[in-house]
Amino acid sequence: MSLPASVAETQALLGAGGYVADRALATTIHLALTMGRPLFLEGEPGTGKTEIAKVLAAKLPRRLVRLQCYDGLDISSAAYEWNHARQLMAIRLAEAAGDVDPAALDRGIYDRKFLQPRPLLDALEGSPAVLLIDELDRADEPFEAFLLEILADFQVTIPELGTVKAATPPVVIITSNRTREVHDAVRRRCLYHWVDYPDASRERAILKLRAPGLPEALSAQVVAFVQKLRDGDYFKLPGVAETIDWAQALAALDAKALEQGVVDETLGVLLKYQDDIAKLKGEEAARLIAEVRAG
C-alpha cells in the first residue's frame, strides 16, 4: 500500500485503524510520512502516542518493530550483539582443524552470521517496518547519542562489519512521557507533536469506535465525567485507554447511566492509585455525577 497522499487520507487511514486524530496531529503524521522524517510524540501517559505506531503498522501495512526503552538500555539490547558462544565455537573448531591464521580467524569470527540483530538493526533490514522507540525518556541520556545516526541517515555503523543502511527507511515513531527532557539533538532530527488529552467531542468519537455497544447517553456521561475529573488534582489522571476500559466495564455491568454506587465500585478501572480513588470516592464522585447530569 502506498503512503496516504493528503492529510485527509492520513486522517482516514488512522480512523480506519480505530484512531481518532484531530487535524493538527494528522497533518504532522502526514508530513512525517511524506518527508521521510522521524516523528517525536510527547505527552502525558495514556494519550494514545504508542497506539499511533500500532495503527500505522497495521494500516500501511508494515512490520511493527518496537524498542521499549528503560533505564540501562544499551547498544547490545537495542541494536545488535555478537553471538559470543558461536564465535568461541568457531575458534575452537578452527584450532582443532589446524587453521590458526590469526588474521583470517579474526575476520572469520566477525562474519555476519555471528551477528544477532536487535530491534534497531532489525527495523533497518528486511521488509519495510514501523520502528517504535517507546518511552525514550526512560532510557539514559547517553543512549540518545547512538540514535542520532539512525534518525539522520537510517543506518547503523558496526565497527567490525561496516555500515548497515536501510534499503527502505522505516517509519520512525519516538514517544516520550516527559519524565525527563530529551536532548535537542534528537528533537532537531524529528518532526514534533504534543499529544494532549482529547476534547469531549473527540473522546466521544473514540468511544463510538472502541466501545460501539455503549448506549449513547452513557457514553456522553462517561466522557463528561472523565473530562471534569482531568481538571482535578490527582496523582495520575486517566488517559484515553482508561476511559475506554471504564466504558466497557460499565457496559459489562449493564449500566444505563452513571450512578453513585456503580461509579464508586468501578473506580479501580479508571484510576490506578489508592490515594486518587480515596479522594474521588463518595462525595466528590457524587458532585461530579451531579454536574454531569446538570449538563
Side-chain angles (χ1 to χ4, degrees), residues 20-57:
V20 181
D22 60 25
R23 178 80 181 186
L25 176 57
T27 298
T28 307
I29 294 172
H30 175 67
L31 290 174
L33 294 175
T34 302
M35 298 167 65
R37 295 282 297 278
L39 177 58
F40 182 52
L41 300 173
E42 199 167 39
E44 297 296 331
T47 51
K49 302 181 295 295
T50 299
E51 190 67 18
I52 291 171
K54 293 179 179 179
V55 170
L56 288 176

Side-chain angles (χ1 to χ4, degrees), residues 74 80 98 168 178 212 233 266 268 284 294:
D74 57 15
Y80 65 87
T168 301
R178 210 175 185 182
D233 182 20
T266 57
E284 181 63 13

Side-chain angles (χ1 to χ4, degrees), residues 14-15 17-22 25 46-49 51-52 55 195-214 219-220 222-223 226-227 230 239-245 247-248:
L14 293 168
Y19 194 97
V20 181
D22 60 25
L25 176 57
T47 51
K49 302 181 295 295
E51 190 67 18
I52 291 171
V55 170
V195 183
D196 210 343
Y197 293 114
D199 60 20
S201 175
R202 190 154 69 93
E203 197 153 23
R204 284 195 299 270
I206 291 169
L207 282 190
K208 190 172 183 179
L209 278 174
R210 304 300 293 271
L214 196 68
S219 175
V222 165
V223 170
V226 173
Q227 292 276 324
R230 290 189 185 126
V240 178
E242 283 76 29
T243 303
I244 295 169
D245 287 346
Q248 292 174 340

Side-chain angles (χ1 to χ4, degrees), residues 239-291:
V240 178
E242 283 76 29
T243 303
I244 295 169
D245 287 346
W246 194 42
Q248 292 174 340
L250 293 171
L253 294 173
D254 201 28
K256 304 302 181 186
L258 292 186
E259 303 287 349
Q260 178 76 55
V262 74
V263 169
D264 283 347
E265 291 164 3
T266 57
L267 286 180
V269 181
L270 190 61
L271 299 171
K272 306 303 179 182
Y273 288 88
Q274 176 56 31
D275 288 348
D276 287 345
I277 293 173
K279 183 175 182 178
L280 180 60
K281 191 173 184 178
E283 291 185 6
E284 181 63 13
R287 183 183 69 82
L288 292 184
I289 292 170
E291 289 184 6

Side-chain angles (χ1 to χ4, degrees), residues 116-235:
Q116 295 178 311
R118 301 303 185 205
L120 295 180
L121 182 58
D122 180 38
L124 299 180
E125 299 182 309
S127 59
V130 172
L131 171 60
L132 170 60
I133 302 174
D134 211 10
E135 298 183 321
L136 180 58
D137 53 318
R138 290 182 178 272
D140 300 326
E141 289 187 37
F143 177 72
E144 294 177 24
F146 177 74
L147 289 179
L148 299 182
E149 183 182 19
I150 293 174
L151 299 181
D153 302 313
F154 300 105
Q155 66 182 35
V156 170
T157 298
I158 303 170
E160 300 86 353
L161 278 182
T163 299
V164 177
K165 190 174 181 67
T168 301
V171 173
V172 180
I173 307 291
I174 302 173
T175 74
S176 169
N177 293 331
R178 210 175 185 182
T179 58
R180 68 168 178 83
E181 289 294 332
V182 172
H183 198 277
D184 286 347
V186 171
R187 293 175 181 271
R188 285 197 304 269
R189 286 162 173 79
C190 304
L191 302 188
Y192 175 86
H193 191 86
W194 174 266
V195 183
D196 210 343
Y197 293 114
D199 60 20
S201 175
R202 190 154 69 93
E203 197 153 23
R204 284 195 299 270
I206 291 169
L207 282 190
K208 190 172 183 179
L209 278 174
R210 304 300 293 271
L214 196 68
E216 189 172 337
L218 180 57
S219 175
Q221 288 189 343
V222 165
V223 170
F225 187 96
V226 173
Q227 292 276 324
K228 291 178 180 297
L229 177 58
R230 290 189 185 126
D231 290 333
D233 182 20
Y234 294 90
F235 181 73

